[in-house]
Amino acid sequence: MRTTTPVTVPEADLGTAPRSTPRRALDWRLRFGALSLIWGFSFLLIKVGTHGYAPFQVTLGRLVFGTAVLAAAMAVKRERMPRGVRTWAHLTVAAFLLNALPFSLFAYAELTIPSTLAGICNATSPLWGMALSLVALSEDRPTRVRVAGLGLGFLGVLTVLGAWQGFHGLDARGTAMALLASLSYPIGWIYVRRTLADTGFSALSMTGAQLLLATVQLGVVTALFTSFPSRFAVLPLLAIVALGTLGTGLALLIQYGLVTEVGPTTAQMVTYFIPVIATGAGVAVLGESLRWSTPVGAVVVLAGAALTQVRGARGVSGGAVRRGVRVRGGWSRSSPRP
């Protein structure tokens, strides 16, 4: 699902932005809403996909269809793949940390936890990101507000999990996987920021190459650890197709346009709508139960995450953006930001 501290959304710029923003056929607010819905419903689609296929198969399908969308976009824009052994080596690590690992962890997590909980765990990514950046990135200086946001956010996590009840009724393994998936994003972002910030290649080509490498990784893992499906369940298969084409491929392209048009600070606000939509979709469509502590804790998590981003306007417009912004599996090299 990133610039001063990582957030759980992708980003972008298709190279160098023009001096004047081109007119779009669809207002950016409508595209922002569509992006929020697509990513919010992704957790429901993962859950439905795992009803018919193994988690690794769900992830592989997601990556295959997502890569196909970006490959088509690259062909239309006549973009070339990045070159250089060093670049591809670093992209291989990035593909694992930002795509193969978190996508697989969320798929496995949703075997035993509701999609609503997975969506809320995903919202902790900015919290992990800030905590890690304070240690790994010397330019990120802690402030009282940001530290308070970090503490508030993790207090919200404990509320969602029902810590005062001893985590009663909670599947610890599935929840841990979802939280580890959210942690994987900022780890990958920091790695990319330190190794691939100044490659000179466009955001689209870097993201396309990264998804291709993640697809290869999952292809090997899936072949080794799963058996070929004896039958193809239609509804789960459609969910996987939608997850890949919409939630991975199209969503990145929409985010690219938003970053270029309205900037990274506004574009990254989609992060705060994702758990709300994921919760609503899980309850309304899948009939998942909802305790009072879940929405209350989610609000606290989002409030804490927002506080950790308070200096975002300054950081986002500075050198970090010029070097490249990373979010939920995508790239951004925005001049004017998944």
Side-chain angles (χ1 to χ4, degrees), residues 235-309:
L235 185 59
L237 181 59
L238 291 176
I240 294 172
V241 173
L243 182 64
T245 57
L246 300 179
T248 302
L250 180 61
L252 280 169
L253 296 178
I254 294 175
Q255 182 72 358
Y256 291 163
L258 286 175
V259 168
T260 302
E261 185 171 350
V262 300
T265 303
T266 299
Q268 75 176 11
M269 291 300 293
V270 72
T271 304
Y272 305 110
F273 291 87
I274 294 174
V276 177
I277 295 172
T279 299
V283 173
V285 180
L286 298 179
E288 296 177 344
S289 60
L290 194 65
R291 298 180 299 178
W292 69 267
S293 58
T294 302
V296 171
V299 170
V300 177
V301 168
L302 293 176
L307 288 176
T308 65
Q309 306 292 310

Side-chain angles (χ1 to χ4, degrees), residues 136-148:
L137 301 175
S138 59
E139 64 268 35
D140 279 335
R141 303 299 182 186
T143 65
R144 291 181 180 179
V145 173
R146 298 180 71 202
V147 172

